[in-house]
């Protein structure tokens, strides 16, 4: 990747690594569905004036079907399913499923013929997944089939979303796409919020968590995500899911005084090495390497 690509990669890793901490704080007092609505509504409210000022929404009208599909697979279904699964499964199982996203993205892109994976990139994918598995631990439970199915939908959605952005929405104003998607997601969640509205005043800590999730981890993160996809492609972008657990673990230790395990010391270096191998762009073969057969014989004989 380029230097700009690595900077965007690091920024998005941070923006999508800290939500676990704030979600944990928020859901102690706020229902996950209401939290998802708060993130999308506040994020859309923040971005809408800028999108209108730049005229970033009008170009989307011809692509409304793909905008709607992106909203469903990247936001509406994953955020609801992830919140549901986290109430039934432990964090290790959830983290391990999310770490499968780059593998699913790689398979989809290979089937569609949109990307090429050499031995080095495949090794990076597998090494990054192994590192993520060590990071989250091996206390994995898959006996709750409903929750496991929900996580399966989350991973598929997170893998498909960047491909839609790269292949179907490329060239459209990112600010407009993000604003439209967050607005649509908020409209989907809104009718259900009265059913899960808290019956008592929530703390300032929970409110701050929702605001941070909306501003930094939603609006800001999606802007960086679009820039990163444009810079490195959808497959390399999904390697973010390998880094996120490490950031979440470190923040949990620093802020919530959670214990650091040996898995962090072993898994994090594996994740870093795997991400480098999997995202490093191969050099194109020299032009003379493509000359073979009779043409090569004629050149040597001349």
């Amino acid at each position: 990747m380029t230097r700009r690509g690595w900077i965007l990669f690091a920024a998005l890793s941070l923006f999508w690594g800290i939500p676990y901490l704030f979600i944990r704080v928020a859901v102690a007092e706020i229902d996950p569905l209401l939290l998802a609505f708060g993130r999308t509504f506040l994020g859309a409210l923040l971005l809408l004036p800028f999108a209108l000022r730049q005229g970033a929404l009008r170009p989307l009208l011809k692509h409304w079907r793909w905008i709607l599909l992106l909203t469903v697979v990247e936001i509406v279904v994953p955020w609801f399913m992830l919140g549901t699964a986290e109430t039934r499964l432990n964090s290790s199982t959830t983290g391990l499923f999310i770490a499968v996203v780059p593998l699913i993205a790689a398979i989809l892109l290979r089937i569609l013929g949109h990307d090429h994976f050499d031995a080095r990139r495949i090794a990076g994918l597998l090494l990054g997944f192994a590192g993520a598995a060590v990071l989250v631990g091996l206390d994995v439970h898959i006996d709750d089939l409903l929750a496991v199915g929900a996580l399966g939908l989350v991973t598929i959605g997170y893998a498909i979303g960047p491909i839609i952005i790269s292949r179907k929405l490329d060239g459209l104003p990112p600010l407009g796409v993000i604003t439209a998607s967050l607005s649509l997601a908020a409209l989907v969640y809104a009718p259900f919020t009265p059913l899960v509205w808290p019956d008592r005043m929530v703390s300032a800590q929970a409110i701050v968590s929702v605001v941070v999730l909306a501003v930094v981890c939603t609006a800001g993160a999606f802007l960086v995500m679009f820039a990163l996809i444009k810079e490195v492609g959808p497959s390399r972008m999904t390697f973010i899911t390998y880094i996120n657990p490490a950031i979440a673990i470190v923040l949990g230790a620093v802020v919530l005084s959670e214990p650091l395990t040996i898995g962090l010391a072993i898994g994090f270096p594996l994740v870093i090495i795997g991400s480098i191998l999997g995202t490093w762009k191969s050099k194109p073969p020299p032009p003379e390497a493509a000359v073979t057969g009779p043409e090569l014989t004629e050149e040597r004989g001349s």
Side-chain angles (χ1 to χ4, degrees), residues 27-272:
V27 295
E29 304 177 48
I30 300 173
D31 187 90
L33 178 61
L34 184 59
L35 174 60
F37 169 74
R39 290 181 64 179
T40 53
F41 176 74
L42 292 178
L45 195 64
L46 174 66
L47 296 178
L48 185 58
F50 300 98
L52 292 174
R53 183 180 302 174
Q54 296 182 15
L57 296 176
R58 186 178 296 274
L60 309 182
L61 295 178
K62 295 181 180 179
H63 306 271
W64 68 268
R65 291 181 179 85
W66 290 109
I67 300 291
L68 182 60
L69 181 59
L70 173 68
T71 302
V72 171
V73 303
E74 182 71 28
I75 301 176
V76 174
V77 173
W79 288 11
F80 174 71
M81 292 294 182
L82 187 60
T84 301
E86 285 183 339
T87 62
R88 305 165 69 102
L89 298 174
N90 59 24
S91 57
S92 294
T93 305
T94 303
L96 194 58
F97 265 83
I98 298 302
V100 179
V101 170
L103 297 174
I104 297 176
I107 293 171
L108 290 175
L109 287 168
R110 185 68 183 88
I111 292 173
L112 295 172
H114 293 323
D115 207 346
H116 171 69
F117 292 85
D118 55 19
R120 189 206 62 233
R121 289 189 64 189
I122 293 174
L125 280 167
L126 297 177
L127 193 61
F129 176 74
V134 174
L135 273 172
V136 302
L138 298 179
D139 184 22
V140 176
H141 302 284
I142 58 173
D143 52 331
D144 191 326
L145 297 181
L146 182 62
V148 169
L151 284 180
L153 292 176
V154 171
T155 58
I156 293 172
Y158 281 170
I160 293 176
I163 298 176
I164 294 175
I165 293 170
S166 175
R167 305 300 170 184
K168 299 299 181 180
L169 303 177
D170 186 36
L172 295 177
L175 180 59
V177 175
I178 297 165
T179 304
S181 293
L182 291 178
S183 300
L184 287 171
L187 287 174
V188 173
Y189 290 134
F192 303 99
T193 55
L195 303 176
V196 294
W197 200 266
D199 54 4
R200 58 185 177 84
M201 182 70 68
V202 298
S203 67
Q205 190 177 25
I207 295 174
V208 169
S209 296
V210 175
V211 173
V212 172
L213 286 167
V215 175
V216 178
C217 308
T218 301
F222 271 116
L223 288 172
V224 175
M225 172 186 169
F226 270 68
L228 182 59
I229 291 173
K230 190 172 186 63
E231 182 74 18
V232 305
S235 175
R236 290 179 173 88
M237 191 285 298
T238 58
F239 274 79
I240 292 292
T241 57
Y242 289 158
I243 307 293
N244 293 349
I247 296 175
I249 291 172
V250 171
L251 287 175
V254 173
V255 179
L256 301 178
S257 300
E258 295 179 349
L260 289 174
T261 65
I262 192 172
L264 182 64
I266 298 174
F268 190 58
L270 291 177
V271 165
I272 295 298

Side-chain angles (χ1 to χ4, degrees), residues 3-13 224 227-228 231 240:
R3 178 179 297 181
R4 182 172 185 271
W6 281 114
I7 292 174
L8 291 171
F9 187 88
L12 191 56
S13 296
V224 175
L228 182 59
E231 182 74 18
I240 292 292

